[in-house]
Amino acid sequence: MASKAIRRRPTDKEREKHMETSMPESVTEPLLGSSAHGNKSEGYEPIQDFWDGKSRECLHWVHIVSTFITQSARKIVNAISEFGSFLARYFGCSCAPQSSQNAQTMLINLSPLQEERLKFLRQRLNLPFDCSAVKHQDALKELWGLAYPNRELPPLKSDLWKEMGWQNSDPATDFRAGGFMSLENLIYFARNYPDSFHRLLHKADGERAEWEYPFAVAGVNISYMLVQMLDLQSENKSSKASVCFVQLLEDDEMAFDNLFCLAFQMLDVQWLARRASYMEFNEVLKSTLGQLELELTVGGVSSVQNLPSFRMLKR
């Protein structure tokens, strides 16, 4: 392992160039900006004996096994699909158009409950963060209270917010395309999976990089990229992931928020497995969402809790 004396941290121009080449066209700023916050906060003391070396190794192997299972299942599904296509061609009919038609039918024939929940979700994702709105200010304050329950709430513009992983002293400038829903996602994570939330926030697991990803801004980007993966802003859905996700809304109104929590946990596991550093964040995020999409589309998934990687989340 190279010593810190010979490691060179990229300059601001190098970071900006790296982020601009990998960000979506709809985002006009770098995904993670130009700040890095790798120091652990003082308000949280991890339980050392729970996450010992064996536990971390076990978590790593759980991720590997779940990846193998989902990839194997995907291959089986593809093999069955190809066999069906062969039979269709043998009997003189086309399988591909029918398959496409079925996908559209699944979306057109949504139940009233699915339609209502999908509509509400779209309303959420189209709401930008408004620093002048009292509701949005209160939500930001709530996030601080959940993250640091034993610390005094700082002003809405303070360098203390950087400890949470915001790149500026004013968190309102970091939401960008994530909007208000990305803040709601972080609050949901803290409320429903507090153990995982705090362990990721304080980088309590594994051997961390010298230059870590900033927690809060990473959450904003996960929220944004999930929306893109699931085609939630498109009326004409065609991807398997979007079709499968909409079906989850029947039994889980908060399916998107639960996927967000799972994606965040999966990202940190991959981050540790790759021994990644700040400049590799976009690559790790892309790989994480690819793995999540595989788990979501292999078939037979009725809820987020049924996904193989869900067991990694801790309440």
Side-chain angles (χ1 to χ4, degrees):
M1 177 175 179
S3 65
K4 295 182 180 179
I6 64 174
R7 296 180 63 175
R8 183 178 71 86
R9 178 171 294 185
T11 65
D12 290 341
K13 290 184 177 180
E14 289 175 333
R15 284 197 303 264
E16 183 177 353
K17 181 178 180 181
H18 170 77
M19 294 300 181
E20 287 178 350
T21 58
S22 55
M23 66 181 177
E25 294 181 357
S26 58
V27 182
T28 57
E29 301 180 39
L31 287 179
L32 290 182
S34 57
S35 298
H37 308 281
N39 296 330
K40 298 183 180 180
S41 301
E42 299 176 356
Y44 179 80
E45 297 181 0
I47 304 175
Q48 297 294 337
D49 58 344
F50 179 78
W51 286 96
D52 56 14
K54 292 184 178 179
S55 297
R56 291 196 299 268
E57 183 179 357
C58 180
L59 183 61
H60 174 66
W61 279 107
V62 167
H63 178 70
I64 292 176
V65 171
S66 65
T67 301
F68 173 76
I69 292 174
T70 54
Q71 290 178 346
S72 299
R74 185 64 176 269
K75 290 179 180 179
I76 293 174
V77 170
N78 290 339
I80 294 175
S81 177
E82 291 177 2
F83 181 67
S85 299
F86 169 76
L87 291 179
R89 290 193 300 269
Y90 182 79
F91 288 105
C93 61
S94 175
C95 180
Q98 183 65 36
S99 175
S100 176
Q101 182 180 356
N102 288 340
Q104 294 296 330
T105 301
M106 289 176 64
L107 294 170
I108 293 173
N109 294 331
L110 295 177
S111 70
L113 183 59
Q114 288 172 326
E115 289 182 350
E116 178 184 352
R117 289 177 173 176
L118 182 58
K119 179 180 178 180
F120 177 67
L121 182 58
R122 284 174 172 162
Q123 291 174 348
R124 289 176 62 196
L125 65 90
N126 287 324
L127 180 64
F129 182 85
D130 183 358
C131 61
S132 65
V134 175
K135 177 183 177 181
H136 294 197
Q137 294 176 3
D138 290 343
L140 200 55
K141 295 175 183 178
E142 181 182 2
L143 179 62
W144 178 274
L146 291 167
Y148 308 110
N150 299 319
R151 297 176 62 180
E152 183 180 355
L153 176 69
L156 291 178
K157 294 183 179 181
S158 168
D159 283 342
L160 291 176
W161 288 98
K162 295 180 181 179
E163 297 180 21
M164 192 186 295
W166 301 104
Q167 65 178 0
N168 298 304
S169 58
D170 181 7
T173 63
D174 288 333
F175 286 101
R176 300 188 295 277
F180 182 62
M181 187 170 73
S182 61
L183 176 56
E184 292 181 314
N185 293 153
L186 287 167
I187 292 174
Y188 183 88
F189 193 9
R191 285 177 178 173
N192 293 273
Y193 306 98
D195 187 72
S196 285
F197 175 87
H198 282 98
R199 301 198 72 82
L200 268 60
L201 169 65
H202 301 287
K203 305 295 191 294
D205 300 332
E207 182 179 349
R208 311 305 307 197
E210 180 185 5
W211 198 13
E212 279 288 325
Y213 64 85
F215 174 82
V217 178
V220 172
N221 285 281
I222 291 171
S223 181
Y224 172 78
M225 295 302 292
L226 268 180
V227 170
Q228 308 308 307
M229 185 188 86
L230 299 173
D231 296 322
L232 292 180
Q233 293 177 316
S234 173
E235 294 292 338
N236 300 318
K237 302 184 184 305
S238 57
S239 69
K240 288 184 179 180
S242 62
V243 174
C244 294
F245 170 74
V246 171
Q247 304 309 307
L248 300 183
L249 292 175
E250 181 69 30
D251 297 319
D252 185 3
E253 182 179 8
M254 307 305 293
F256 182 87
D257 300 77
N258 283 313
L259 275 179
F260 168 86
C261 300
L262 179 56
F264 214 146
Q265 181 66 70
M266 292 172 67
L267 178 137
D268 197 68
V269 170
Q270 286 211 23
W271 182 270
L272 292 173
R274 292 177 176 223
R275 300 181 183 273
S277 186
Y278 180 86
M279 299 295 284
E280 300 170 88
F281 177 83
N282 289 333
E283 180 182 345
V284 176
L285 176 57
K286 181 179 179 180
S287 176
T288 298
L289 294 180
Q291 173 64 24
L292 182 60
E293 185 175 8
L294 275 176
E295 294 192 14
L296 188 62
T297 58
V298 293
V301 176
S302 58
S303 69
V304 177
Q305 289 75 14
N306 292 145
L307 296 174
S309 293
F310 183 79
R311 68 189 68 185
M312 293 190 295
L313 278 173
K314 305 296 181 184
R315 295 182 183 273

